[in-house]
Amino acid sequence: MGTKSILFLSGEWGINSGDIVSPVHLCIKLFHIYLPSTFFLIFSCVSYLKKSSIHILESLLYNDSMEKNIEIIIIDDEEDILDLIEYHLQKEGYETVGFLSTENVEQFLEEENPSLMIVDRNLPGVEGSEFVAHIRSLGYDIPVIFLTAKDQESQLEEGYESGGDDYMTKPFSTKELLLRVKALLKRSGALTKQDKIKYKDILLDVAKKVAFIHDEPVALTIREFNLLLTFVKNIDKPLTRNFLREEVWGSEGDEVNDNAVNVAINRLKKKIDPTGEKEYFVPVWGVGYKLV
């Protein structure tokens, strides 16, 4: 069977118009013309997919680590300073929430559990040290760093007496602020995993999930242990049933009603205080319970 030829009516691919070429010759021509660009295209796609995969992996790892990050509140009515502090804290890996006044901070504290607050004193509405004194009166023991232009000795004293844990004056060094933040987080335990936590006669071995009362082991289920641990980490704080559901039951919390939470607490009370003499837990009307 003979090989068919192709008549070109227009000049393309380096073949003159009117030339008659065989399919073999045409294939060789196309091979030489398009092979380099084909290889380049394949190489580009592979490189792009490789880079994309790396970026996706980095993103997943980054997001996973960010979920475990420490949350810090900054309250400052000067937006440029607020942005500057947030920028440097986020560079260090902290999660930040900024407020220009104290207006919505108390509500935020009811819903979240931040590890530290950086507070200016010259704030609109409520002065910074007054606000800190107020949240201390409500039972919040979150560490506080005052960052303010009030630099008189008497003002510094006011800051500490109102419940501040550290005091810096403006203008300030961001490096020094970061060092103070890290030091305070270490002192508060936010940066160090505690294997054992003690409160009064309660000792919790977090690693082994074992509870002791007066050095005697108490048989608790894992959920009861986590419930007690949640209270010990939030001493004197009224804990809502919603908060307990999230902390203790986790993803199963949606199926747990208020009565089930009450039953779990009562069962725990009977195990750690069979005679009811110690009254570890106190009901807070309209809120929930707190450990005292």
Side-chain angles (χ1 to χ4, degrees):
M1 182 180 293
T3 303
K4 295 183 179 179
S5 298
I6 301 171
L7 173 64
F8 273 78
L9 300 178
S10 61
E12 290 182 298
W13 303 319
I15 301 173
N16 296 322
S17 177
D19 285 354
I20 298 176
V21 297
S22 68
V24 174
H25 180 250
L26 177 61
C27 288
I28 294 172
K29 202 73 176 173
L30 292 174
F31 182 85
H32 284 295
I33 293 172
Y34 288 106
L35 183 63
S37 57
T38 302
F39 273 122
F40 177 77
L41 180 60
I42 293 171
F43 176 80
S44 299
C45 290
V46 170
S47 299
Y48 174 78
L49 290 172
K50 184 179 179 182
K51 289 179 181 178
S52 297
S53 299
I54 292 171
H55 287 315
I56 290 169
L57 179 59
E58 288 175 343
S59 177
L60 289 172
L61 293 172
Y62 176 76
N63 290 334
D64 181 60
S65 64
M66 286 299 289
E67 289 176 2
K68 302 174 184 177
N69 276 349
I70 291 169
E71 188 174 52
I72 298 176
I73 292 176
I74 306 102
I75 313 174
D76 200 305
D77 63 333
E78 296 183 65
E79 196 165 350
D80 55 341
I81 292 180
L82 181 63
D83 291 342
L84 177 69
I85 296 171
E86 287 201 85
Y87 169 75
H88 284 284
L89 288 172
Q90 289 171 9
K91 273 186 66 179
E92 293 297 307
Y94 302 112
E95 291 183 0
T96 64
V97 181
F99 295 89
L100 295 171
S101 71
T102 62
E103 185 177 354
N104 298 310
V105 178
E106 188 176 333
Q107 180 182 348
F108 182 84
L109 291 174
E110 292 175 0
E111 299 170 356
E112 300 290 335
N113 190 30
S115 300
L116 186 141
M117 288 202 309
I118 299 172
V119 184
D120 184 18
R121 289 190 59 184
N122 296 310
L123 295 171
V126 180
E127 197 265 359
S129 62
E130 293 178 7
F131 175 74
V132 171
H134 169 66
I135 63 171
R136 290 287 187 252
S137 70
L138 297 177
Y140 292 104
D141 60 355
I142 177 174
V144 173
I145 298 176
F146 282 115
L147 184 61
T148 175
K150 293 187 175 183
D151 58 359
Q152 299 298 314
E153 188 173 319
S154 60
Q155 294 171 327
L156 186 146
E157 187 178 351
E158 287 173 1
Y160 280 109
E161 288 183 349
S162 69
D165 299 279
D166 202 350
Y167 201 102
M168 285 185 69
T169 57
K170 298 176 181 178
F172 64 97
S173 160
T174 53
K175 180 65 175 177
E176 182 183 353
L177 176 61
L178 293 173
L179 290 172
R180 289 180 182 239
V181 165
K182 189 173 184 178
L184 191 51
L185 289 171
K186 282 183 176 178
R187 290 203 300 272
S188 68
L191 282 181
T192 55
K193 183 179 179 181
Q194 295 172 285
D195 290 331
K196 293 183 179 179
I197 301 176
K198 184 172 177 60
Y199 175 67
K200 293 184 177 179
D201 59 354
I202 301 173
L203 176 64
L204 301 180
D205 188 327
V206 179
K208 297 180 180 179
K209 298 283 186 182
V210 178
F212 298 86
I213 305 293
H214 279 306
D215 298 326
E216 293 294 324
V218 180
L220 299 179
T221 66
I222 295 297
R223 181 155 290 153
E224 289 167 347
F225 180 90
N226 290 336
L227 182 60
L228 181 55
L229 178 62
T230 301
F231 276 105
V232 170
K233 285 181 174 180
N234 297 276
I235 297 165
D236 277 331
K237 290 183 183 179
L239 303 183
T240 66
R241 292 172 181 83
N242 284 338
F243 177 82
L244 293 172
R245 272 191 282 263
E246 292 176 4
E247 293 293 309
V248 180
W249 280 268
S251 59
E252 301 173 8
D254 292 337
E255 301 175 4
V256 178
N257 58 33
D258 287 355
N259 186 57
V261 176
N262 296 340
V263 169
I265 292 174
N266 288 331
R267 189 182 296 121
L268 175 61
K269 287 164 65 177
K270 289 178 182 178
K271 287 189 175 183
I272 65 174
D273 183 20
T275 62
E277 297 175 353
K278 299 176 182 178
E279 295 185 349
Y280 291 113
F281 300 100
V282 175
V284 180
W285 181 255
V287 180
Y289 294 86
K290 69 177 179 178
L291 180 68
V292 295

XYZ file of all heavy atoms in Angstrom, residues 175-228:
438
model
N 11.156 44.901 71.528
C 11.938 43.736 71.941
C 11.756 43.486 73.431
O 11.539 42.339 73.863
C 13.423 43.968 71.623
C 14.333 42.818 72.014
C 14.028 41.565 71.216
C 15.018 40.460 71.521
N 14.689 39.213 70.801
N 11.812 44.552 74.212
C 11.623 44.405 75.659
C 10.210 43.929 75.972
O 10.002 43.084 76.847
C 11.890 45.731 76.367
C 11.765 45.630 77.892
C 11.961 46.962 78.596
O 12.333 47.945 77.922
O 11.732 47.006 79.817
N 9.235 44.459 75.239
C 7.848 44.037 75.457
C 7.700 42.546 75.202
O 7.066 41.820 75.984
C 6.899 44.827 74.554
C 5.425 44.412 74.604
C 4.854 44.603 76.001
C 4.609 45.200 73.579
N 8.289 42.049 74.119
C 8.196 40.625 73.791
C 8.855 39.760 74.866
O 8.347 38.694 75.219
C 8.842 40.351 72.434
C 8.137 40.950 71.216
C 8.969 40.738 69.949
C 6.740 40.353 71.030
N 9.972 40.244 75.404
C 10.655 39.505 76.468
C 9.809 39.457 77.735
O 9.723 38.425 78.412
C 12.014 40.145 76.764
C 13.086 39.980 75.672
C 14.303 40.827 76.002
C 13.477 38.517 75.514
N 9.163 40.572 78.042
C 8.297 40.615 79.232
C 7.068 39.730 79.050
O 6.624 39.072 79.992
C 7.884 42.052 79.528
C 9.026 42.925 80.057
C 8.533 44.343 80.327
N 9.597 45.213 80.776
C 9.591 45.856 81.954
N 8.585 45.711 82.786
N 10.584 46.646 82.287
N 6.519 39.737 77.850
C 5.366 38.870 77.551
C 5.751 37.410 77.764
O 5.033 36.649 78.421
C 4.874 39.096 76.101
C 3.951 37.961 75.661
C 4.154 40.432 75.980
N 6.889 37.029 77.214
C 7.334 35.637 77.331
C 7.587 35.254 78.781
O 7.198 34.166 79.230
C 8.606 35.435 76.495
C 9.028 33.983 76.365
C 10.179 33.846 75.382
C 10.547 32.383 75.174
N 11.643 32.220 74.190
N 8.217 36.155 79.535
C 8.514 35.879 80.943
C 7.232 35.721 81.755
O 7.117 34.816 82.594
C 9.368 37.003 81.525
N 6.258 36.585 81.504
C 4.997 36.519 82.247
C 4.196 35.273 81.882
O 3.560 34.647 82.744
C 4.178 37.787 81.983
C 2.942 38.018 82.866
C 3.288 37.880 84.343
C 2.359 39.396 82.594
N 4.230 34.894 80.612
C 3.543 33.668 80.199
C 4.180 32.438 80.832
O 3.486 31.482 81.193
C 3.565 33.543 78.669
C 2.668 34.523 77.905
C 2.947 34.435 76.410
C 1.188 34.243 78.177
N 5.495 32.470 80.997
C 6.177 31.355 81.661
C 5.771 31.280 83.128
O 5.503 30.203 83.661
C 7.701 31.513 81.547
C 8.273 31.132 80.201
C 9.790 31.245 80.206
C 10.378 30.779 78.884
N 11.861 30.918 78.860
N 5.736 32.450 83.788
C 5.372 32.470 85.208
C 3.940 32.001 85.430
O 3.637 31.356 86.432
C 5.542 33.879 85.788
C 6.986 34.332 85.925
C 7.138 35.410 86.976
N 6.372 36.599 86.681
C 6.819 37.617 85.940
N 8.037 37.553 85.419
N 6.071 38.677 85.727
N 3.072 32.328 84.478
C 1.666 31.953 84.622
C 1.402 30.498 84.243
O 0.320 29.977 84.482
C 0.780 32.864 83.766
O 0.999 32.619 82.385
N 2.410 29.856 83.639
C 2.254 28.455 83.241
C 1.738 28.268 81.836
O 1.593 27.135 81.373
N 1.453 29.362 81.129
C 0.896 29.241 79.779
C 1.910 28.667 78.797
O 1.526 28.038 77.812
C 0.409 30.598 79.288
N 3.197 28.869 79.044
C 4.229 28.380 78.134
C 4.872 27.080 78.597
O 5.713 26.531 77.919
C 5.328 29.439 77.956
C 5.018 30.599 77.024
C 6.215 31.528 76.933
C 4.641 30.119 75.641
N 4.493 26.614 79.761
C 5.075 25.374 80.266
C 3.973 24.390 80.579
O 3.007 24.709 81.271
C 5.894 25.634 81.553
O 5.057 26.300 82.508
C 7.112 26.481 81.268
N 4.115 23.208 80.050
C 3.123 22.162 80.302
C 3.358 21.602 81.697
O 4.423 21.082 82.007
C 3.244 21.059 79.263
C 2.186 19.984 79.422
C 2.338 18.921 78.359
C 1.295 17.826 78.529
N 1.461 16.770 77.515
N 2.338 21.693 82.572
C 2.457 21.203 83.936
C 2.020 19.744 83.998
O 0.903 19.399 83.627
C 1.576 22.052 84.863
C 2.033 23.508 84.962
C 1.027 24.345 85.734
O -0.025 24.693 85.232
N 1.362 24.659 86.968
N 2.909 18.892 84.508
C 2.568 17.483 84.649
C 1.695 17.259 85.877
O 0.877 16.335 85.905
C 3.835 16.635 84.755
C 4.588 16.589 83.435
O 3.926 16.693 82.387
O 5.818 16.472 83.458
N 1.898 18.105 86.882
C 1.113 17.972 88.107
C 0.590 19.343 88.532
O 1.316 20.325 88.499
C 1.943 17.353 89.226
C 2.322 15.894 88.965
C 3.086 15.288 90.120
C 3.426 13.829 89.831
N 4.189 13.201 90.939
N -0.674 19.380 88.925
C -1.303 20.622 89.366
C -1.914 20.383 90.734
O -2.649 19.397 90.933
C -2.401 21.077 88.380
C -1.813 21.290 86.989
C -3.061 22.358 88.868
C -2.840 21.652 85.932
N -1.616 21.276 91.673
C -2.114 21.116 93.038
C -2.973 22.309 93.429
O -2.626 23.457 93.156
C -0.950 20.972 94.016
C -1.384 20.698 95.467
C -0.204 20.384 96.340
C -0.621 20.188 97.785
N -1.581 19.083 97.974
N -4.098 22.019 94.077
C -4.959 23.063 94.640
C -5.544 22.536 95.944
O -6.252 21.521 95.957
C -6.082 23.443 93.673
C -7.052 24.439 94.272
C -6.645 25.739 94.565
C -8.354 24.068 94.564
C -7.524 26.647 95.119
C -9.239 24.976 95.123
C -8.817 26.259 95.400
O -9.680 27.159 95.964
N -5.194 23.243 97.047
C -5.593 22.798 98.385
C -5.150 21.344 98.579
O -3.974 21.046 98.457
C -7.099 22.988 98.583
C -7.527 24.457 98.617
C -8.999 24.607 98.917
C -9.378 26.067 99.025
N -10.822 26.271 99.304
N -6.090 20.435 98.839
C -5.708 19.029 99.037
C -5.905 18.187 97.780
O -5.807 16.963 97.815
C -6.483 18.423 100.210
C -7.994 18.485 100.010
O -8.430 19.105 99.019
O -8.731 17.928 100.841
N -6.171 18.880 96.651
C -6.353 18.176 95.373
C -5.030 18.187 94.606
O -4.421 19.239 94.418
C -7.439 18.851 94.517
C -8.776 18.881 95.242
C -7.579 18.146 93.171
C -9.841 19.697 94.513
N -4.598 17.037 94.168
C -3.402 16.922 93.328
C -3.779 16.160 92.071
O -4.301 15.044 92.144
C -2.278 16.193 94.071
C -0.999 15.936 93.251
C -0.327 17.250 92.859
C -0.026 15.047 94.012
N -3.508 16.755 90.918
C -3.827 16.128 89.646
C -2.543 15.797 88.897
O -1.723 16.684 88.648
C -4.707 17.053 88.796
C -6.054 17.467 89.412
C -6.801 18.387 88.450
C -6.898 16.259 89.746
N -2.381 14.537 88.563
C -1.280 14.102 87.711
C -1.804 14.112 86.277
O -2.507 13.182 85.859
C -0.811 12.701 88.120
C 0.461 12.288 87.403
O 0.645 12.700 86.230
O 1.263 11.563 87.993
N -1.465 15.180 85.549
C -2.029 15.388 84.213
C -1.551 14.320 83.241
O -2.314 13.853 82.385
C -1.672 16.797 83.691
C -2.244 17.018 82.295
C -2.196 17.861 84.648
N -0.309 13.922 83.364
C 0.256 12.935 82.441
C -0.415 11.570 82.602
O -0.729 10.894 81.621
C 1.758 12.818 82.653
N -0.650 11.177 83.848
C -1.226 9.848 84.116
C -2.742 9.880 84.277
O -3.361 8.814 84.433
C -0.582 9.267 85.377
C 0.909 9.023 85.241
C 1.489 8.449 86.518
C 2.992 8.205 86.384
N 3.575 7.673 87.646
N -3.339 11.085 84.269
C -4.793 11.225 84.431
C -5.266 10.599 85.745
O -6.255 9.866 85.800
C -5.540 10.566 83.265
C -5.242 11.180 81.907
C -5.969 12.482 81.709
C -5.798 13.024 80.312
N -6.451 14.317 80.110
N -4.528 10.901 86.824
C -4.865 10.371 88.146
C -5.064 11.536 89.108
O -4.282 12.488 89.114
C -3.756 9.437 88.677
C -4.109 8.930 90.075
C -3.553 8.271 87.726
N -6.119 11.445 89.942
C -6.405 12.480 90.929
C -6.137 11.946 92.341
O -6.392 10.767 92.627
C -7.849 12.939 90.810
N -5.619 12.840 93.196
C -5.355 12.480 94.584
C -6.042 13.502 95.494
O -6.003 14.704 95.234
C -3.854 12.485 94.880
C -3.060 11.486 94.069
C -2.600 11.817 92.801
C -2.766 10.230 94.569
C -1.870 10.918 92.045
C -2.042 9.317 93.819
C -1.592 9.666 92.561
N -6.644 13.001 96.585
C -7.171 13.867 97.633
C -6.456 13.474 98.918
O -6.532 12.323 99.358
C -8.697 13.700 97.813
C -9.428 13.921 96.487
C -9.200 14.660 98.897
C -9.375 15.341 95.961
N -5.733 14.447 99.486
C -4.903 14.145 100.669
C -3.960 12.988 100.376
O -3.794 12.065 101.196
C -5.777 13.825 101.892
C -6.291 15.040 102.598
N -5.474 16.063 103.055
C -7.556 15.409 102.909
C -6.206 17.003 103.627
N -7.487 16.637 103.547
N -3.366 13.014 99.168
C -2.385 12.018 98.724
C -2.970 10.623 98.533
O -2.222 9.662 98.292
C -1.204 11.940 99.693
C -0.439 13.260 99.771
O -0.355 13.963 98.735
O 0.061 13.588 100.860
N -4.295 10.497 98.623
C -4.949 9.217 98.362
C -5.571 9.240 96.967
O -6.313 10.177 96.641
C -6.030 8.931 99.406
C -5.505 8.689 100.817
C -4.690 7.409 100.894
O -5.031 6.425 100.204
O -3.680 7.398 101.651
N -5.296 8.232 96.142
C -5.869 8.219 94.783
C -7.391 8.080 94.810
O -7.949 7.383 95.661
C -5.212 7.005 94.124
C -4.788 6.133 95.265
C -4.464 7.043 96.404
N -8.031 8.778 93.891
C -9.489 8.731 93.755
C -9.818 8.164 92.370
O -9.260 8.627 91.365
C -10.109 10.132 93.911
C -11.629 10.057 93.765
C -9.736 10.751 95.237
N -10.688 7.184 92.327
C -11.039 6.544 91.055
C -11.983 7.442 90.261
O -13.160 7.580 90.599
C -11.685 5.189 91.317
N -11.454 8.072 89.210
C -12.257 8.934 88.346
C -12.198 8.411 86.912
O -11.178 7.865 86.489
C -11.723 10.375 88.371
C -11.705 11.124 89.698
C -11.124 12.528 89.494
C -13.097 11.215 90.306
N -13.275 8.602 86.191
C -13.245 8.334 84.752
C -12.432 9.447 84.083
O -12.161 10.492 84.692
C -14.661 8.309 84.158
O -15.225 9.622 84.265
C -15.540 7.305 84.899
N -12.041 9.223 82.840
C -11.282 10.246 82.111
C -12.078 11.546 82.021
O -11.537 12.641 82.214
C -10.926 9.752 80.691
C -9.971 8.560 80.774
C -10.296 10.875 79.875
C -8.621 8.864 81.395
N -13.388 11.427 81.780
C -14.210 12.635 81.674
C -14.305 13.354 83.012
O -14.252 14.587 83.073
C -15.600 12.270 81.151
C -16.517 13.473 80.982
C -17.579 13.197 79.950
N -17.002 13.135 78.617
C -17.518 12.437 77.617
N -18.607 11.715 77.801
N -16.945 12.445 76.430
N -14.444 12.614 84.100
C -14.492 13.235 85.435
C -13.161 13.901 85.761
O -13.135 14.988 86.354
C -14.838 12.178 86.479
C -16.284 11.708 86.411
C -16.539 10.449 87.217
O -15.549 9.787 87.643
O -17.725 10.110 87.420
N -12.064 13.253 85.364
C -10.749 13.869 85.586
C -10.636 15.172 84.812
O -10.178 16.190 85.350
C -9.633 12.906 85.157
C -8.257 13.468 85.343
C -7.571 13.295 86.524
C -7.634 14.208 84.334
C -6.299 13.828 86.715
C -6.379 14.751 84.500
C -5.709 14.553 85.692
N -11.040 15.176 83.549
C -10.966 16.387 82.731
C -11.884 17.482 83.265
O -11.567 18.671 83.177
C -11.326 16.066 81.278
C -10.261 15.229 80.589
O -9.097 15.243 80.992
N -10.640 14.483 79.564
N -13.003 17.084 83.827
C -13.923 18.051 84.432
C -13.275 18.712 85.640
O -13.297 19.943 85.780
C -15.224 17.337 84.831
C -16.332 18.200 85.433
C -16.778 19.285 84.463
C -17.526 17.319 85.834
N -12.668 17.907 86.497
C -11.984 18.453 87.671
C -10.797 19.318 87.256
O -10.568 20.393 87.821
C -11.512 17.311 88.573
C -10.797 17.700 89.874
C -11.653 18.647 90.719
C -10.410 16.454 90.668
